Amino acid sequence: MTGVRISKMNVRAFRGIGTKAEFDFSSPLTLVFAANGTGKTTMCESAEWLLTGQVERLRDKGHFDQAVLFPKFSQSDQPPLVDAELHLRGSALRLQRCISGTETQARLWKDGALGPVIGLNELLRRLAPAAAAENSHHLRAIPMRQGWLRGTRFLSAEALATLVDSDDSTVERRKDVFADLLGIRHLLEAEKLAERYIADISSRERLLRQTITSREEEIVRLTVELEEASPSGSLSAVTEVNNAEQQFGLNSDASGSQPSLAARIEALDVERHRRQHILVTRRDAIEASAARWPERDKISESIVALDTIYPGLTEQVSEIVKQGQAAGAAVAAASTRCNTLKTQMRALDSARSMLAPLVPALYAALSDMPGARRLVGNETLPQLFELLPSARQSTEEITILQADVSAALADERAAENADRRTELLRAQLLEVEALLVTEDALAELREAASRFETQAQHAKRLQDATAGPLARLQTAGRELFDHQHASGASACPLCSHDWQTADALREAMASTLAVVPEVEKLSQIAAAAASEAARLAQSQLKEAQRQFAKAEGLRTELADLEQRIDARKVRLARLGVGDGNRIAALEALSASLVAAAALSRLLSERDRVSTTLPGSGPTLLGEATTLATLGKQIEDPIVARESSLREDFTAADTELTKQSERRDALRKDHAVASEAVRANRDTHARHQSELDKLRQLWNVAAPDAEWTESNLTAARDWARHEQALLEDIASRTVAAQAAWNTEARRTRLETLRRELAPLLNRSSYLSDRIAAARQASNAFHDSYVQVSGRQIEDLGQVVNPLFARMHANRVFDRIKLGQVDDPLRWLADAGGQELNPGKDFSQGQRQDLALALFLARARSLGGTFFLDEPVTHLDDLNRVGLLDVFRATVLESSQSLNLVITTSSKPLARHLIEKFGRVGPVETPAGRVRPLRVIELDGNGRTGVTLTTVYPTDA
């Protein structure tokens, strides 16, 4: 027996499976049925992790992180663990894989205990020895064996589509899947490795060929240039360079070896360009100086003249500034004086506006006083104070006194009603007190009301207690009376008394029932009488309590009225109002207080404004002021002071105008003088700038030389001589450079010829390696094609029967697997027509073909194979055909093969059970077992996953 066969698998803390779950795969066919999201895919991934040490679907950019295996919702800190019983090539063993720290560890059980940790490469070599060569390096062998186990043991939806997909974009993926299925992944990897080696070497070979080509082109160009160049030796170049250096005054070695001739030529060229630049600059400056030669004297004379008049102009501006400051101070003083006088005049006007309205108000208040006709107008202020003594108080105090008088006047006007109300209250209180009962009598009324209320409640409860039983007794009696079953009975059913005859018994019962309404009526009368007695007692108690409350209210109101009468008498005494006509006295007092308040306000305002009035003059409202002259004694002093202020203001305003005119004239003079100074300074700066430019120009034309006609002539002679020298140096440098270039080309040509030979040898070596690698790649490809072709041809003998049996609606006669030029190309033969499954098959037909390929390979390998949701696109008929294939496959290969299929389709589970319902146990490595086992999963990763064996029921 070959292949890896899993009999049982325990999974714990692995992604969606939190608690321990035991899967029994001992049957040749195991169907795991569950709703989506329950854990079917997790079960397949746990088996993949057990065998390969990783889960391909969970890899992130080629990296697999073990942390993704931990369950999200588990409260336990246990690491993921998968423990399985295996049969490997006829030998039973037990394998466990778990996570320890950040690494995964695999161990084999031995003698009931876990053995040492087994390395991944060693474990994969035992599980998939044919997936890689025995002596392959572990870095290459591990991924190849992992891919082979994953590709041959696990069929996902993606692999289903890849097996028959003919799209060019998935051809590489399809090759990998078939390489894993056929066990020739090492040949495919070797071919890919050779191709990568060829691509790497070819890029370096191309770069080398480009370098060789560029060197050969340069050799040809230099050869042509040397043949075309005129013969000249390096000796003439040295001579020319020596002569040029002597003319420039440069130090040089006569042998021409140090520094090199090229460096000396370059130095000469640099020096020539430097001196040429100096020559051009000085020559331009010489010509410009000659052109502007007459301007220098004129500009100098102008500057001297400007310097002569500048001190006088600045002194004039300074004097104008001093006079302007004095004029500004005088203007400010005059303006301040005018503003002060204006403020004083406004104060006088404000005093008039505040005092004048108070005089008519005083006259009006005095006219409203009783006896105002006795005033003749010649009363002085002291006499008015004697008439109105309250006027000596402040306005606030008089206001408070007025409020007190108004309150007293209101009380006096209401006093008559208050007295009548007091007498009435006293009479009512006497009447109510005559009706009051004593405290003992009131207590007796409370006790009686409580007693009668208790008796009424007792009677009511007694009525309620008797009404129900009597009614039920009457009803039961009538029913018994009307009962005809024992019409001849004469004994009483309650006391067994014998009435001799039945008629006598009925007559006694009728008379008894007639008494029941009377008894009920008596209990009602008793309850009503007790309730009425309680009501009368409660009414008497409430009446007595009401009289007590009324008496208390009358006493309170009477005490309040008497308190108010006493307070009124105290207020009248304080106001000095005696007996008699108190209302008239209070009204007279109120009128006098109004006049006193008016006089107090007038004198208070006089005292306030007197301290702020400007100037000197008569006093406002002096002691001799009479009642008739109040207005005159206010207006005359204010008018006299206003007249004096107006005279002062006129003089101050005249002075302000005079000083302002003088200040404005000085401002104009200052502007004119300042403009003259500014014009002098600007002209001087402009002439000085022109003179400085001329000096700078001459310094460039003739450095460190005086500004004379003879020096100008000497500068022009120098420029002509320097130009001739530079032209001679230029011709010598060009000749030397030409000779040197010829020698440099010859040297470069010899260097290129020496460098070309090693490059050609290197290019030849790389070409040989590329040819050898291409020969190896072709050999690996031919071997891959031959081996895959043979295996595909053998596989086709199984695929066609399987595909024909599972494909209910037969359209195709057979499937052609592979061709000479393309062994992985699949064609369908239908009546002489060749069809491409990737383009011409329906989704279900492609899935049938993929399943047939996978099952054919599984039968040849043996072991356990996981098919995740293999019936997604199949119709009912094709599903039945697939189930027949499953049934035939596991029954024929029960010893070497078992399939684990997942589905969320309940009809599929039911159909499988029907297919295997009458099939007895079959032989397996674990003994005779039922060929089908159906396991149902329930729950999810959050609430927990549980397993139930649905079939067989006796499991």
Side-chain angles (χ1 to χ4, degrees), residues 520-842:
E520 184 178 1
K521 185 175 182 181
L522 289 175
S523 65
Q524 291 177 352
I525 293 173
S531 178
E532 181 64 20
R535 187 188 64 78
L536 291 175
Q538 191 69 28
S539 176
Q540 291 175 359
L541 175 61
K542 290 181 179 179
E543 179 62 22
Q545 291 174 340
R546 188 180 65 79
Q547 293 297 333
F548 268 102
K550 184 176 181 181
E552 186 63 28
L554 291 174
R555 292 191 190 97
T556 302
E557 187 178 359
L558 181 60
D560 182 59
L561 286 175
E562 291 175 346
Q563 184 179 4
R564 287 162 59 185
I565 290 172
D566 294 339
R568 187 170 74 247
K569 291 178 180 179
V570 172
R571 183 187 291 115
L572 291 174
R574 186 174 65 251
L575 295 175
V577 178
D579 296 336
N581 191 351
R582 291 191 292 271
I583 294 178
L586 288 171
E587 290 177 347
L589 179 59
S590 178
S592 66
L593 288 175
V594 172
L599 180 59
S600 177
R601 282 194 295 272
L602 177 62
L603 297 179
S604 296
E605 187 64 25
R606 178 203 64 181
D607 295 339
R608 188 185 68 80
V609 301
S610 294
T611 59
T612 61
L613 290 178
S616 60
T619 305
L620 292 175
L621 300 177
E623 292 293 329
T625 301
T626 62
L627 183 62
T629 61
L630 285 175
K632 182 175 178 59
Q633 290 298 321
I634 292 173
E635 183 67 20
D636 289 349
I638 291 176
V639 170
R641 297 189 185 197
E642 283 181 340
S643 176
S644 175
L645 289 175
R646 285 193 181 94
E647 292 177 359
D648 293 343
F649 179 76
T650 300
D653 188 59
T654 302
E655 180 66 16
L656 176 62
T657 302
K658 176 182 176 183
Q659 295 297 336
S660 297
E661 291 175 351
R662 180 169 175 268
R663 181 196 61 188
D664 294 341
L666 288 172
R667 285 178 176 174
K668 292 179 181 179
D669 294 342
H670 180 269
V672 173
S674 297
E675 182 61 28
V677 171
R678 188 162 45 251
N680 180 285
R681 190 164 51 245
D682 292 344
T683 304
H684 184 280
R686 186 171 63 254
H687 289 345
Q688 186 65 44
S689 175
E690 291 296 326
L691 185 61
D692 291 340
K693 290 179 180 178
L694 288 175
R695 286 173 180 168
Q696 292 175 0
L697 193 63
W698 175 252
N699 287 332
V700 174
D704 302 327
E706 295 184 2
W707 197 335
T708 61
E709 292 285 348
S710 60
N711 287 335
L712 177 62
T713 303
R716 285 176 170 174
D717 293 339
W718 173 87
R720 287 193 294 271
H721 177 268
E722 184 72 7
Q723 180 65 35
L725 175 63
L726 292 177
E727 291 175 353
D728 181 64
I729 295 295
S731 62
R732 295 178 182 275
T733 304
V734 169
Q737 184 67 47
W740 173 249
N741 288 340
T742 302
E743 184 62 24
R745 290 190 186 96
R746 186 176 293 107
T747 303
R748 175 61 179 169
L749 181 60
E750 293 175 357
T751 302
L752 290 175
R753 286 172 177 171
R754 287 195 305 270
E755 293 177 351
L756 186 60
L759 293 178
L760 291 173
N761 294 334
R762 179 64 177 172
S763 175
S764 176
Y765 172 73
L766 292 179
S767 299
D768 294 341
R769 295 186 66 181
I770 292 173
R774 185 166 287 111
Q775 184 178 1
S777 174
N778 293 334
F780 285 127
H781 179 75
D782 294 340
S783 179
Y784 172 78
V785 171
Q786 292 174 5
V787 175
S788 62
R790 287 196 303 270
Q791 294 196 23
I792 288 173
E793 183 177 356
D794 296 338
L795 200 60
Q797 298 177 6
V798 182
V799 169
N800 273 293
L802 291 177
F803 179 72
R805 187 164 185 177
M806 69 174 62
H807 192 210
N809 186 11
R810 183 167 184 178
V811 179
F812 313 105
D813 297 330
R814 63 190 183 91
I815 301 298
K816 296 180 180 180
L817 305 178
Q819 297 177 354
V820 176
D821 56 342
D822 189 359
L824 298 182
R825 181 175 175 83
W826 305 85
L827 296 175
D829 187 0
Q833 297 293 328
E834 287 187 348
L835 303 177
N836 186 344
K839 299 179 180 178
D840 300 322
F841 275 23
S842 67

Side-chain angles (χ1 to χ4, degrees), residues 495-516:
C495 62
S496 300
H497 176 71
D498 190 2
W499 293 85
Q500 301 300 324
T501 65
D503 292 336
L505 174 60
R506 291 191 183 92
E507 183 178 353
M509 291 172 64
S511 61
T512 302
L513 293 175
V515 176
V516 171

